[in-house]
Amino acid sequence: MRILYFAWVKQRVGVAEEELSPPPEVRDVAGLIDWLAVRSPGHAEAFANRKTIRAAVNQDFAGPDHPVAVGDEVAFFPPVTGG
Amino acid sequence: MTPRIAVQEAPFDLAAETARLTAGRQDVGGLASFVGLCRADDGLAAMVLEHYPGMTERAIARIAEEAADRWPLLGLTVIHRVGRLEPGAPIVLVLTASAHRTAALESCAFLIDWLKTGAPFWKREEFEGGAERWVEAKAADDAAAARWKPA
């Protein structure tokens, strides 16, 4: 699974992307966050406040219960501020 | 009508983009444009725009498609800049063409409201003296986008 980070999520995690193989019990975005959050102090800091985290699965915005699977591209970032 | 969508570091040229939408045609009766600029609030030295390459273009294309479904558009251009932009620099251009003004004006407002909340861009502000902060999403922007949702 390709995991991407943007904006301050990227700064806190410390990398822009990583290729990871979560265990099969990680089935959705919320489960993936739980699994990622304990990987390092940086991950923990990035995911400390779930309310400020948004996600995309395969480049579409996705909520916490959106499924994730092997081969997916999953991105985590703060609420968007374009325009 | 094929929307023109670009995400780029380079500046854009409003006159050239306008000419591109109207070249060789006489059915356009109204053009609406919005240009967003980098404001020098609180001693801002620069704004740095980051995006999610691939998803950004998809998200804008989807918003453009919805605009084209809702209004009879003859042309649509969205150019969003990324990278480091100094105060006064143009950030975003939305340009819409239609036979009549209402469709052009309304679709232009719809597009910029949705770009603020529906496309993966993030702004980081750099201040004189070296401080920096990420711009936070505003509830007012969500409200502005929400007003376009069908009742």
Side-chain angles (χ1 to χ4, degrees):
Chain A
M1 196 179 289
R2 188 175 180 219
I3 314 287
L4 308 180
Y5 306 106
F6 293 96
W8 55 254
V9 179
K10 174 173 71 182
Q11 288 181 331
R12 291 177 190 179
V13 171
V15 296
E17 66 174 277
E18 45 192 352
E19 187 70 39
L20 298 171
S21 302
E25 51 277 21
V26 169
R27 292 191 186 88
D28 57 19
V29 169
L32 182 58
I33 291 176
D34 290 338
W35 185 74
L36 288 169
V38 295
R39 283 181 58 81
S40 78
H43 287 81
E45 196 198 343
F47 291 109
N49 184 356
R50 307 284 172 96
K51 282 186 193 158
T52 61
I53 299 285
R54 300 290 180 273
V57 176
N58 299 324
Q59 304 192 354
D60 281 322
F61 289 106
D65 52 0
H66 191 288
V68 295
V70 175
D72 279 350
E73 177 177 301
V74 184
F76 294 100
F77 42 78
V80 302
T81 54
Chain B
M1 201 278 299
T2 307
R4 167 165 149 72
I5 292 161
V7 179
Q8 62 188 39
E9 289 193 14
F12 46 77
D13 180 342
L14 176 57
E17 295 301 334
T18 303
R20 190 194 273 251
L21 279 194
T22 54
R25 60 194 306 168
Q26 297 179 324
D27 53 351
V28 174
L31 276 169
S33 64
F34 176 85
V35 177
L37 306 172
C38 180
R39 262 193 333 264
D41 289 352
D42 308 324
L44 182 88
M47 184 100 87
V48 181
L49 272 116
E50 182 180 330
H51 78 119
Y52 182 173
M55 179 173 169
T56 313
E57 293 80 358
R58 274 166 63 114
I60 299 174
R62 194 163 301 162
I63 297 163
E65 206 172 292
E66 194 183 333
D69 283 345
R70 290 178 69 164
W71 290 277
L73 298 181
L74 298 170
L76 191 172
T77 299
V78 174
I79 302 177
H80 205 302
R81 296 179 70 193
V82 291
R84 193 170 191 278
L85 300 170
E86 293 183 354
I91 302 175
V92 60
L93 168 69
V94 177
L95 195 53
T96 52
S98 186
H100 301 285
R101 69 180 183 281
T102 308
L105 288 166
E106 287 184 359
S107 60
C108 186
F110 165 87
L111 283 158
I112 189 63
D113 282 347
W114 271 105
L115 274 175
K116 288 218 163 251
T117 59
F121 291 98
W122 301 275
K123 292 189 182 120
R124 182 165 51 83
E125 296 173 324
E126 293 180 351
F127 297 93
E128 285 152 26
E132 59 170 62
R133 75 171 174 220
W134 289 94
V135 174
E136 286 185 33
K138 294 183 194 73
D141 290 337
D142 288 334
R147 75 195 165 102
W148 296 103
K149 282 195 181 133

